[in-house]
Amino acid sequence: MSWAQAILLARGLSRGWGGICGTALTGAPFSQERASPAVPWGTGRCQIPAVVLCPQLPPQSPRALHCSSATHNSDSSLVPRPPEPLRKPAKALAPHEELFMQAPDGARDKASFVRAVQNFGQHNVHKRGHVDFIYLALRKMREYGVERDLAVYHLLLDVFPKEVFRPRSVFQKIFIHYPRQQECGIAVLEQMENYGLMPNKETEFLLIQIFGRKSYPMLKFVRMQLWFSRFKNINPFPVPRDLPQDPVDLARLGLRHMEPDLSARVTVYQMPSSKDSIDTADPTEPHIVGIQSPDQQAALARHNPARPIFVEGPFSLWLRNKCVYYHILRADLLPPEEREVEEIPEEWNLYYPMQLDLDYGRSGWDDYQFDINEVEEGPIFAMCMAGAHDQATLAKWIQGLQETNPALAQIPVVFRLAASTGELLASSGLEEPSPPPPEEQEEEEDDPQRQQRGQS
């Protein structure tokens, strides 16, 4: 059979199959012949009658095209359904998290933390997953209050298997041997560094026993030994590690930390009222603590009463992990024509020598002008820290200053209080500041009235 005959045969079969499908879809009985036109013999082609005999079938609709009437009549099938919201998978506990939940009374102290570390070594003899456990323990140390305990860090280092991660050959010393374990050991030392803990001989013995001398944790230990001993007492104004919890003592510490004059006097103008106070006239009395030096008192006595002074703040001050806020009593800088230049005798001047004859040769590339960022500010007369940062509380501070500074009663005081920040509200628990007055009332007041409004 030639390729032409095969094409003709396939065409006839396709026509016959198309007739069967068309009749089945219309539902009419089909018992007929569909023949292709005859091809004459003289054309060189084979005469193949493409006749397909179709049997008599009962009329029925195909099962694949059957649809219910409810589907066609409802309009909801034409509207796509909205996608279902993705359900967040339940947060699985970290590995070995259950060890820190076995405390009978739910206490989070050093004893329960040590018990959790010891339970890991007892239940896991081969210490599988010790790296994940150490990382989890480092995150839990602050919750249990053991972040500054050197013995607890030694207990975590003791979790590592001994004599396993030490390099045995030259190539192991060159390349990082067991890098994940060495990074975990460095993380323990870095957390000790962040909390200011100095490693000792026991730390060195544990690191040598676990990683060997030629390892990165041991290199970190040597660097900590070198720089910690040099920078331990380099701060000329040290802050105690354990800060006082009393707000009045904390305010005294912050003011002493900012005031360079040792002769300055700290005064408590108002003590905070207790929560169970019986007096309902003024149930909330915040503390007010101020500081002022004798030089500041003399400068305030010489101040021109025609010029107002300003109460500004609050400004933030960080004492380790606690943030406190303070206010200042200052004045604007005097114009140059009103400034009094104090002449210092040459024999008392320690900054400029009495005689200096220098003759240096300068070239055209030398710069005779120096860019020095000097900002001149007005004098500061006093500072204070208060439990509240509103005008009523600071007005009590000004009234207390008038007892030691009589000239302050003749000077107008203007309050320049900034808006309370979110950090201030979160740390002190204050309410939001009251909204400013409408613009119509502000336009009615003139400048003298605004100054008198802040005068105490």
Side-chain angles (χ1 to χ4, degrees):
M1 181 183 298
S2 63
W3 60 272
Q5 296 176 358
I7 292 175
L8 292 176
L9 181 60
R11 183 183 299 173
L13 291 175
S14 63
R15 289 178 180 177
W17 182 251
I20 294 174
C21 296
T23 309
L25 292 175
T26 55
F30 51 96
S31 141
Q32 55 184 353
E33 296 181 359
R34 296 181 60 90
S36 61
V39 180
W41 289 93
T43 57
R45 300 179 181 179
C46 180
Q47 186 178 4
I48 299 177
V51 179
V52 179
L53 299 178
C54 300
Q56 185 77 17
L57 295 176
Q60 59 182 358
S61 62
R63 187 178 299 274
L65 299 178
H66 175 73
C67 298
S68 62
S69 59
T71 307
H72 291 286
N73 295 335
S74 62
D75 298 335
S76 61
S77 61
L78 302 178
V79 180
R81 294 182 179 179
E84 297 181 358
L86 298 178
R87 296 181 180 178
K88 296 183 179 180
K91 186 178 181 181
L93 295 177
H96 314 291
E97 184 83 22
E98 66 279 356
L99 295 176
F100 294 94
M101 300 180 180
Q102 296 178 359
D105 53 350
R108 293 180 177 268
D109 51 0
K110 181 179 178 180
S112 57
F113 188 89
V114 172
R115 191 182 305 110
V117 177
Q118 292 176 353
N119 291 339
F120 174 79
Q122 293 175 1
H123 297 293
N124 197 346
V125 181
H126 300 284
K127 297 184 177 182
R128 293 187 178 93
H130 62 277
V131 175
D132 297 333
F133 175 77
I134 292 175
Y135 278 123
L136 176 63
L138 290 177
R139 296 193 299 267
K140 294 285 185 179
M141 290 182 73
R142 191 169 182 180
E143 299 179 10
Y144 287 80
V146 293
E147 67 275 5
R148 298 184 183 276
D149 196 338
L150 187 59
V152 177
Y153 288 97
H154 291 163
L155 190 64
L156 289 181
L157 289 176
D158 195 39
V159 175
F160 284 100
K162 309 300 186 295
E163 304 291 336
V164 178
F165 310 128
R166 299 183 63 177
R168 305 294 180 181
S169 62
V170 179
F171 296 101
Q172 291 179 354
K173 294 179 181 178
I174 294 175
F175 300 100
I176 302 178
H177 194 53
Y178 287 96
R180 190 162 181 261
Q181 283 74 11
Q182 291 198 32
E183 290 177 359
C184 184
I186 293 174
V188 176
L189 295 176
E190 284 183 350
Q191 185 158 330
M192 292 173 56
E193 180 183 3
N194 294 336
Y195 288 104
L197 295 180
M198 180 71 134
N200 54 11
K201 287 293 183 181
E202 185 179 356
T203 313
E204 181 182 6
F205 176 76
L206 288 171
L207 292 176
I208 293 176
Q209 192 178 11
I210 298 170
F211 301 105
R213 290 192 177 273
K214 301 295 182 180
S215 61
Y216 284 94
M218 195 61 194
L219 179 62
K220 176 70 175 178
F221 167 80
V222 174
R223 290 174 176 173
M224 290 174 64
Q225 286 279 359
L226 174 64
W227 295 109
F228 264 43
S229 59
R230 297 187 179 185
F231 293 154
K232 186 176 182 180
N233 301 317
I234 198 174
N235 188 5
F237 307 101
V239 179
R241 175 171 296 178
D242 299 327
L243 297 175
Q245 300 297 328
D246 188 10
V248 176
D249 296 338
L250 188 63
R252 287 176 177 174
L253 177 62
L255 293 174
R256 280 293 182 188
H257 193 71
M258 291 187 295
E259 179 59 52
D261 193 352
L262 299 179
S263 62
R265 180 184 177 184
V266 178
T267 307
V268 180
Y269 297 98
Q270 180 174 289
M271 293 295 294
S273 61
S274 59
K275 295 182 180 179
D276 54 351
S277 178
I278 304 176
D279 186 11
T280 58
D282 193 3
T284 57
E285 291 184 357
H287 66 276
I288 303 174
V289 183
I291 188 172
Q292 190 179 32
S293 64
D295 295 339
Q296 290 175 334
Q297 290 182 1
L300 184 57
R302 297 191 306 265
H303 184 74
N304 186 7
R307 291 184 172 274
I309 57 177
F310 306 95
V311 177
E312 296 181 353
F315 305 102
S316 60
L317 172 67
W318 283 94
L319 299 174
R320 292 195 181 274
N321 59 343
K322 290 187 178 181
C323 184
V324 293
Y325 295 86
Y326 65 95
H327 296 78
I328 61 174
L329 180 65
R330 60 175 297 271
D332 288 336
L333 186 65
L334 294 176
E337 60 273 6
E338 297 184 11
R339 299 179 189 176
E340 297 179 0
V341 180
E342 298 181 1
E343 296 182 0
I344 302 176
E346 294 182 355
E347 60 271 11
W348 292 357
N349 196 341
L350 302 178
Y351 297 98
Y352 300 98
M354 291 183 291
Q355 185 178 2
L356 184 63
D357 295 332
L358 298 176
D359 187 11
Y360 290 109
R362 294 180 176 271
S363 62
W365 295 96
D366 293 334
D367 189 6
Y368 292 91
Q369 296 180 356
F370 300 94
D371 296 333
I372 301 177
N373 296 327
E374 293 183 356
V375 179
E376 295 183 357
E377 296 181 350
I380 297 177
F381 302 120
M383 292 186 297
C384 85
M385 288 187 180
H389 307 281
D390 52 354
Q391 184 173 344
T393 303
L394 297 176
K396 296 180 181 180
W397 171 49
I398 300 300
Q399 293 176 1
L401 282 175
Q402 290 179 0
E403 299 178 0
T404 55
N405 302 271
L408 185 59
Q410 307 300 328
I411 304 175
V413 180
V414 180
F415 291 86
R416 293 177 177 176
L417 303 181
S420 300
T421 58
E423 183 180 16
L424 175 64
L425 296 174
S427 61
S428 60
L430 299 177
E431 298 180 356
E432 295 184 359
S434 57
E439 298 180 357
E440 297 178 358
Q441 298 180 4
E442 291 184 355
E443 292 178 357
E444 294 177 358
E445 298 179 355
D446 52 358
D447 295 338
Q449 292 179 354
R450 291 182 182 179
Q451 294 181 0
Q452 293 177 3
R453 181 182 56 187
Q455 187 173 1
S456 59

